[in-house]
Amino acid sequence: MKKINIFLCAVITFFASCSDVDLESVNYSEGISNLVADFTPSSRKVTLNWDNPTMEGQSGIQIIKDNVDVTNIDGVVNSYFIKRAPVNVDVAYTVKARYTDGRVSEGQTVRFNIDYVAKVAMLVADDYEVSADETDAVAWFNKNYVEKGTGKLIKASQIDDLDIEEQAVCWVMCDRIGVEKGWKNLPGGLASNETVNALKAFAADGGSLLLTNHATQLTAAVGRIDEAYAPGIFGNGVGGQNPDVWGVQPIIGNTEGQIYDHSNHDIYRGMNFTAGLYERSIYTFEGTGVKGDHNCMWDLNAYGLAPNPNVVKAWEEKTNSTVLGTWNHVVDYCCAGIIDFAPTTTFPGRILAVGLASYEWNIGGENLYKDQLEMFTDNCISYLK
């Protein structure tokens, strides 16, 4: 009995010793080292670089952002490119090594905060100088954005300068006498394949678009809405002298149905809600002067939409949008003059379309409401940023 006890003790000791070795081998997994985040100041493009483990059996990489988002990469790589990193906020990226037997190493973490100022592009036709409205709008943009280092003026022939890395918003301005209806007729290269494709790519990458006047037709060109839903209320005449005050009506609907009140929306922030004009108060854009009457907006009764309970509601559900304004005197549901197209999977940025003829930059003389027009434009850009 004494010999048996000694043998069993030896066997138990042997297996305990082997078990300790196996467990240590299984649990140990060497991690990556020397993790750094490489980027230039004010750039959203970041490259994570690191050194991989020296031990055998590595099969891939796991990257964790802020302890939430996990990306698994098959294959032994030593870098990871982030096209648009979060900005103006502390962010942490953790990198771990993955092994063929399922092990995942401890991670190494790098933290950074990118100081980023989103800039704005203004895209105009190559021949924008032939339009007094476009020329005045460009002059205002140059003074308030380009000269302050927060904006860039781009002609259609310079469309390659539109860069989501530098600009978060692109304002496309076109207000032209005699231009024919349809986005393919937009002048000065705005309808070229290069321009349209660049705007599509910009929107697909998360850039937001401000489309004003005849440029609202680009909502169909870039594919945010079907061609069948393109703006149908269209004007291109020379216009004439008009003493009325024109602007936008932010309260849509009548007492017999649902009323949509957008008077407190960000695009109207700080503006004067002028009483005593038309049936309701309005936000003003222009006073007495030569008005072009260049509407390029939507008649919501023209698209075969079944009231649900009204065409505004039906349109918004159909296009994932919000109608933020209509013509001065319109208090029913038909005329959509300002539409905010919400982000979608295909278009992560917003598209804000302003197709009211009252949005006019040159009326042949002094505009008593110019400050309101400018404030509205600035609000729109800020809202999109």
Side-chain angles (χ1 to χ4, degrees):
M1 289 295 295
K2 196 171 186 179
K3 290 182 179 180
I4 294 175
N5 286 340
I6 293 174
F7 173 76
L8 287 175
C9 183
V11 171
I12 292 171
T13 301
F14 171 79
F15 278 109
S17 175
C18 289
S19 176
D20 289 342
V21 173
D22 289 343
L23 285 173
E24 183 180 357
S25 176
V26 170
N27 288 334
Y28 176 70
S29 50
E30 184 183 355
I32 64 100
S33 59
N34 301 321
L35 174 64
V36 294
D38 291 327
F39 60 91
T40 57
S42 299
S43 173
R44 299 185 67 181
K45 296 178 181 179
V46 178
T47 300
L48 303 181
N49 292 299
W50 62 85
D51 293 332
N52 281 303
T54 56
M55 68 184 301
E56 296 181 356
Q58 184 185 358
S59 62
I61 288 291
Q62 183 178 93
I63 298 175
I64 304 172
K65 172 191 165 192
D66 290 333
N67 297 318
V68 177
D69 297 332
V70 177
T71 299
N72 286 305
I73 301 173
D74 292 329
V76 181
V77 298
N78 61 1
S79 67
Y80 178 70
F81 178 64
I82 305 165
K83 186 175 183 180
R84 289 188 301 278
V87 296
N88 302 317
V89 65
D90 293 329
V91 63
Y93 282 89
T94 300
V95 179
K96 300 181 178 183
R98 292 168 49 222
Y99 288 85
T100 54
D101 57 8
R103 287 175 293 148
V104 178
S105 75
E106 291 295 318
Q108 191 171 70
T109 300
V110 63
R111 294 176 173 83
F112 55 86
N113 187 321
I114 298 174
D115 185 12
Y116 181 81
V117 178
K119 295 184 179 181
V120 181
M122 184 180 187
L123 174 64
V124 292
D126 288 336
D127 60 345
Y128 76 87
E129 295 96 340
V130 303
S131 167
D133 292 299
E134 294 169 32
T135 300
D136 282 7
V138 166
W140 176 84
F141 182 79
N142 280 333
K143 179 181 179 181
N144 290 276
Y145 285 88
V146 177
E147 293 177 11
K148 294 179 180 179
T150 58
K152 184 170 188 175
L153 180 66
I154 301 173
K155 292 184 179 181
S157 58
Q158 303 166 324
I159 192 62
D160 288 344
D161 290 343
L162 182 62
D163 185 359
I164 188 64
E165 170 67 15
E166 295 185 7
Q167 301 110 19
V169 178
C170 179
W171 173 19
V172 189
M173 166 67 174
C174 181
D175 190 355
R176 195 69 62 94
I177 295 172
V179 64
E180 295 298 321
K181 183 180 179 181
W183 68 263
K184 293 181 181 179
N185 296 312
L186 290 172
L190 291 178
S192 71
N193 289 335
E194 292 78 11
T195 298
V196 172
N197 288 336
L199 291 174
K200 284 182 181 178
F202 184 79
D205 275 342
S208 292
L209 301 176
L210 172 61
L211 309 177
T212 61
N213 305 100
H214 293 124
T216 59
Q217 298 174 106
L218 289 170
T219 49
V222 301
R224 180 57 180 83
I225 56 175
D226 293 337
E227 290 278 359
Y229 294 109
I233 300 175
F234 184 86
N236 62 1
V238 295
Q241 188 70 31
N242 182 286
D244 297 332
V245 177
W246 284 4
V248 58
Q249 175 57 253
I251 304 175
I252 303 168
N254 52 50
T255 56
E256 297 177 359
Q258 185 172 356
I259 294 179
Y260 304 92
D261 186 351
H262 299 294
S263 57
N264 291 320
H265 194 277
D266 283 347
I267 64 173
Y268 304 121
R269 185 178 63 254
M271 295 179 65
N272 299 324
F273 203 30
T274 307
L277 295 173
Y278 308 100
E279 186 173 335
R280 292 175 178 161
S281 301
I282 68 168
Y283 288 116
T284 54
F285 290 154
E286 58 180 341
T288 300
V290 179
K291 298 184 174 67
D293 199 15
H294 293 171
N295 283 303
C296 192
M297 58 182 185
W298 288 261
D299 177 1
L300 300 185
N301 289 324
Y303 302 106
L305 300 172
N308 184 30
N310 56 69
V311 290
V312 168
K313 181 70 171 177
W315 170 270
E316 291 179 344
E317 291 180 348
K318 179 73 175 179
T319 62
N320 189 22
S321 68
T322 303
V323 180
L324 295 178
T326 185
W327 191 236
N328 296 329
H329 55 280
V330 174
V331 294
D332 59 16
Y333 304 104
C334 69
C335 299
I338 301 177
I339 300 180
D340 179 19
F341 293 93
T344 66
T345 302
T346 306
F347 296 93
R350 291 186 175 276
I351 298 180
L352 184 62
V354 181
L356 293 164
S358 58
Y359 184 80
E360 190 167 13
W361 281 85
N362 186 294
I363 59 174
E366 182 183 3
N367 179 9
L368 296 178
Y369 301 96
K370 184 181 179 182
D371 64 322
Q372 298 296 291
L373 179 77
E374 294 174 347
M375 184 181 297
F376 171 78
T377 305
D378 208 27
N379 286 344
C380 289
I381 292 172
S382 296
Y383 172 65
L384 293 173
K385 281 202 298 185

